Amino acid sequence: KVTGVQTCALPISHLSTYFSDKFASAIFSYSDDTGTPIPRTQALKNWSDGIGLLADRASRKGIHIILISPLPQFMMMLPNGINCRQQWFNIDNLCKTGVARRDLDRGNATIYASLDQLKANHANVLVVDPMDTFCSKSTCYSNRNQDIYFLDADHMSAPGALHFYQKGFRSFMLKSWSH
């Protein structure tokens, strides 16, 4: 039992898919409620404002909001992690080298700033960072030992979800509510 917390909500979204500095604007267009086009930064602000309203309402009921910051993105991944499996035609696969964390962090900078602002403005908003689970200080890995953590560029596999729960989310929850 967590003292002083009745329940918690866990909205999960593909923040990096929709709002990444590097990829999102090339894939998506954004509009406001009237259909008028808006820039990506305004769309992220609108999302953040909406989460802020949810956090205010949740706070009045003693509910915490847990957000998951962007997952690492592995653009070289093929569906089902096929290119990460060692096979006769894929002996030196790209998955062994990983992706530079600084590049991912740089591409998600506006998302991280938005999440930091939400945490600063709402005591009931907590953010867990999966990068800490799948990345060292310098490199993010889509697989380890024979476990393939991602099915494609940004969807966790069952072993990846279990790894995130055991190594990241569970310890985050214990640390967040241990004081």
Side-chain angles (χ1 to χ4, degrees):
K1 178 169 166 65
V2 177
T3 307
V5 176
Q6 295 176 2
T7 188
C8 64
L10 181 63
I12 300 173
S13 75
H14 275 240
L15 288 173
S16 57
T17 302
Y18 298 122
F19 299 119
S20 167
D21 295 346
K22 189 172 183 180
F23 302 110
S25 294
I27 300 169
F28 297 103
S29 58
Y30 308 93
S31 57
D32 63 15
D33 294 341
T34 67
T36 304
I38 59 174
R40 175 189 53 83
T41 52
Q42 182 61 49
L44 177 58
K45 182 182 180 319
N46 293 353
W47 175 87
S48 183
D49 290 348
I51 294 294
L53 290 172
L54 176 65
D56 288 341
R57 291 178 186 156
S59 179
R60 289 191 293 272
K61 296 180 185 238
I63 299 172
H64 281 70
I65 306 293
I66 301 170
L67 300 171
I68 298 177
S69 68
L71 290 166
Q73 290 193 313
F74 303 96
M75 296 317 210
M76 79 288 198
M77 291 284 288
L78 296 174
N80 297 316
I82 191 74
N83 60 335
C84 289
R85 300 178 200 276
Q86 188 169 359
Q87 301 175 45
W88 68 270
F89 58 87
N90 192 24
I91 293 171
D92 293 325
N93 68 60
L94 295 172
C95 300
K96 290 181 182 176
T97 58
V99 176
R101 183 173 180 164
R102 75 177 172 279
D103 293 341
L104 297 175
D105 287 341
R106 197 175 311 129
N108 292 321
T110 55
I111 298 168
Y112 292 138
S114 180
L115 293 171
D116 287 344
Q117 191 66 42
L118 280 166
K119 287 190 313 186
N121 292 340
H122 305 279
N124 64 323
V125 170
L126 304 168
V127 178
V128 61
D129 186 358
M131 296 282 210
D132 295 336
T133 304
F134 296 107
C135 308
S136 66
K137 289 186 188 283
S138 62
T139 308
C140 298
Y141 296 97
S142 61
N143 66 327
R144 277 289 187 232
N145 301 322
Q146 296 295 315
D147 290 329
I148 296 175
Y149 296 145
F150 288 81
L151 294 172
D152 58 20
D154 61 357
H155 291 93
M156 279 188 269
S157 64
L162 182 61
H163 178 73
F164 174 56
Y165 171 74
Q166 291 175 335
K167 304 288 187 200
F169 190 74
R170 186 170 181 270
S171 61
F172 167 82
M173 293 298 290
L174 291 171
K175 186 170 47 173
S176 295
W177 275 296
S178 64
H179 358 332

